[in-house]
Amino acid sequence: MKKYAVIVAGGSGKRMGNEIPKQFILLQGKPVLWHTLHAFLSTFGDIEIILVLPQANIKDGESIIQALDTKARITIIEGGATRFHSVRNGLAFVTEESVVFVHDGVRCLVTKELIQRCYEQALEKGSAIPAVTATDSIRIVNGDTTTVADRTNVRIIQTPQTFLSEWLLPAFTTSYDEGFTDEATVFETSGKGVCLIEGDYENIKITRPTDLLVAEKVLAERSALK
Amino acid sequence: MKKYAVIVAGGSGKRMGNEIPKQFILLQGKPVLWHTLHAFLSTFGDIEIILVLPQANIKDGESIIQALDTKARITIIEGGATRFHSVRNGLAFVTEESVVFVHDGVRCLVTKELIQRCYEQALEKGSAIPAVTATDSIRIVNGDTTTVADRTNVRIIQTPQTFLSEWLLPAFTTSYDEGFTDEATVFETSGKGVCLIEGDYENIKITRPTDLLVAEKVLAERSALK
């Protein structure tokens, strides 16, 4: 089936204490976003990518696409006020019945195996939300106190959140709600539940300086294994 | 006030796919556990340490203590059937009114700053449980479905979990319960609530091979800053 990936890279890098937005920081000599796009392009030769960027970084995005030297169709569009609006802008370019991946531009360690796994489950069940079980104890804050959660029931949610287009597009016609933290929460407003799938502990979101250390090291190890 | 640290290092390393238990894997040429002990010893010259190890690794623990070349009192004891039993065994050596740290042996990136912060809050409020806010979306499994949790209310719990001895020791006279996943959950059976404190994203628990990459890199950076 036709595949689209909406890659959302709208961050401004405030948590990194860095002038450069984190999606453009270099890892192994290439921008974070290059690695992310490369993962999808090398999994599916026929994938179409919609790259959502802040207005100020559209030229940077064009340079990355040139460096990828791919024949795949990659459309750059401007992000919206929130994640929901950015993704909705991107979904306007999904014009064929398809499997749609929505992915954080800064999750540059995503593997072919995980992308493939999400594709297959979305085809079969309509959705695939990669998740891993918490390693540490988890507490939930309730006002001034906290209660412990059963760790075996806590799932840390990742991307690519993957859906059949015929299910995802109608869900995104809903109006914006502050509770929309990801695509799964939007999808659920359609009345359908989402199906989780085993994620990957290495599929981290580059958020803090330590994450860059991890990513650099993981990419170096993978490159050595090739 | 007098300080004790109960360092629990009972893991067998199954998740690492490694023959060597993870607390003995070398980082920057020294065992994980060496780094952990060193962090406490360099924060407080007068701290007394109770190191809880599996029977099979007691000799390894003795070698690490020799390599630390410290005058601090370090007692090695054998672990129990569960974390609760191991810590309870350790607390038998807490004989003076004190602040007691209970720490995972494999959290070797713990900093002086965090240890000091836990000490001060435990002195003032009776307990200090380091925690960080989740970076990713979180879902809670309920049978076949999942519900999204408000991420801003989710806390990932770390160690050292730190308490006034006069509050912690009575709590540990309770009988074992499967819900005891850490010391905070035991402490709460006494009827007292625990006080969270800002943890540290770098204070990871060495669990998977990627964690070793992180730890190696973080220790190398810190060593370069000295």
Side-chain angles (χ1 to χ4, degrees):
Chain A
M1 193 183 274
K2 172 85 183 170
K3 297 122 197 147
Y4 290 91
V6 178
I7 310 286
V8 191
S12 62
K14 283 175 202 153
R15 274 194 279 198
M16 300 298 280
N18 205 314
E19 287 295 310
I20 306 173
K22 52 202 171 184
Q23 59 270 30
F24 300 110
I25 294 173
L26 298 188
L27 290 175
Q28 296 272 303
K30 300 206 173 71
V32 164
L33 194 51
W34 182 94
H35 294 282
T36 307
L37 293 168
H38 185 259
F40 282 89
L41 292 168
S42 58
T43 308
F44 297 117
D46 61 341
I47 198 167
E48 194 171 325
I49 292 182
I50 301 129
L51 176 57
V52 188
L53 287 173
Q55 174 66 41
N57 297 118
I58 288 180
K59 284 222 176 305
D60 303 311
E62 284 166 357
S63 306
I64 291 173
I65 293 172
Q66 276 172 358
L68 277 163
D69 193 24
T70 175
K71 286 179 185 152
R73 187 164 174 173
I74 307 182
T75 308
I76 300 185
I77 64 160
E78 197 183 330
T82 71
R83 166 88 175 206
F84 170 80
H85 296 96
S86 290
V87 173
R88 196 177 60 182
N89 290 356
L91 292 178
F93 291 81
V94 174
T95 51
E96 288 182 54
E97 193 172 317
S98 53
V99 166
V100 181
F101 301 90
V102 183
H103 189 66
D104 298 324
V106 293
R107 287 196 197 261
C108 59
L109 298 181
V110 62
T111 61
K112 280 187 194 185
E113 292 70 25
L114 180 59
I115 295 170
Q116 187 74 49
R117 201 151 75 228
C118 287
Y119 175 73
E120 281 160 18
Q121 182 179 300
L123 261 188
E124 190 193 333
K125 298 189 177 170
S127 66
I129 310 296
V132 294
T133 304
T135 303
D136 298 306
S137 292
I138 301 286
R139 283 181 175 261
I140 310 291
V141 176
N142 306 304
D144 286 344
T145 65
T146 63
T147 51
V148 72
D150 181 348
R151 188 172 70 187
T152 60
N153 287 336
V154 176
R155 297 288 178 280
I156 299 167
I157 302 300
Q158 306 182 333
T159 72
Q161 302 197 351
T162 312
F163 308 88
L164 286 175
S165 61
E166 58 186 307
W167 289 16
L168 184 63
L169 297 185
F172 263 86
T173 60
T174 188
S175 47
Y176 175 68
D177 184 283
E178 279 192 354
F180 292 158
T181 50
D182 59 2
E183 292 64 54
T185 46
V186 179
F187 185 81
E188 286 174 323
T189 63
S190 70
K192 293 193 179 72
V194 290
C195 299
L196 302 198
I197 188 171
E198 189 60 32
D200 177 354
Y201 286 100
E202 286 191 359
N203 179 28
I204 59 168
K205 190 172 171 178
I206 305 284
T207 312
R208 295 182 190 78
T210 318
D211 300 328
L212 283 174
L213 299 180
V214 181
E216 183 72 47
K217 196 89 180 167
V218 170
L219 290 171
E221 298 252 320
R222 287 187 191 166
S223 153
L225 286 173
K226 270 177 192 164
Chain B
M1 194 183 278
K2 173 86 182 169
K3 297 122 197 144
Y4 290 92
V6 178
I7 310 285
V8 191
S12 62
K14 281 174 205 155
R15 273 194 279 196
M16 299 297 280
N18 205 315
E19 287 295 308
I20 306 172
K22 52 203 170 184
Q23 59 270 32
F24 299 110
I25 293 173
L26 299 187
L27 289 174
Q28 297 272 302
K30 301 206 171 72
V32 163
L33 194 52
W34 182 94
H35 294 282
T36 307
L37 293 167
H38 185 258
F40 282 89
L41 292 167
S42 58
T43 309
F44 297 116
D46 61 342
I47 198 168
E48 192 170 328
I49 291 181
I50 301 130
L51 175 58
V52 188
L53 287 174
Q55 174 65 41
N57 297 117
I58 287 179
K59 283 222 176 308
D60 303 309
E62 285 166 356
S63 306
I64 290 173
I65 293 171
Q66 275 172 1
L68 278 163
D69 192 25
T70 174
K71 285 179 183 152
R73 186 165 175 172
I74 306 182
T75 308
I76 299 184
I77 65 160
E78 196 183 332
T82 70
R83 166 90 175 205
F84 169 81
H85 296 97
S86 290
V87 173
R88 196 177 60 184
N89 290 356
L91 293 177
F93 292 80
V94 174
T95 51
E96 289 182 52
E97 193 172 318
S98 53
V99 166
V100 181
F101 301 90
V102 183
H103 189 66
D104 299 324
V106 292
R107 286 196 198 261
C108 60
L109 298 182
V110 63
T111 60
K112 279 188 194 185
E113 291 71 25
L114 180 59
I115 295 170
Q116 187 74 46
R117 200 151 75 227
C118 287
Y119 174 75
E120 281 160 18
Q121 182 179 299
L123 261 187
E124 188 192 333
K125 298 189 177 171
S127 65
I129 311 295
V132 292
T133 303
T135 302
D136 298 305
S137 291
I138 301 285
R139 284 182 173 261
I140 309 292
V141 176
N142 306 303
D144 286 342
T145 64
T146 62
T147 50
V148 72
D150 180 350
R151 186 172 75 187
T152 59
N153 288 335
V154 176
R155 297 289 179 278
I156 299 168
I157 303 298
Q158 306 182 333
T159 73
Q161 300 197 354
T162 311
F163 307 88
L164 286 175
S165 62
E166 59 186 307
W167 289 17
L168 184 64
L169 298 184
F172 263 86
T173 60
T174 187
S175 47
Y176 175 68
D177 183 284
E178 279 191 355
F180 292 158
T181 50
D182 60 1
E183 292 63 55
T185 47
V186 179
F187 184 80
E188 286 174 323
T189 64
S190 71
K192 293 193 179 72
V194 290
C195 298
L196 302 198
I197 187 172
E198 190 59 33
D200 176 355
Y201 285 99
E202 286 192 0
N203 179 28
I204 60 168
K205 190 170 169 179
I206 305 282
T207 312
R208 296 181 190 77
T210 318
D211 301 328
L212 284 174
L213 299 180
V214 181
E216 183 74 46
K217 196 89 181 167
V218 171
L219 289 171
E221 297 252 321
R222 287 186 191 165
S223 156
L225 288 175
K226 267 178 195 164

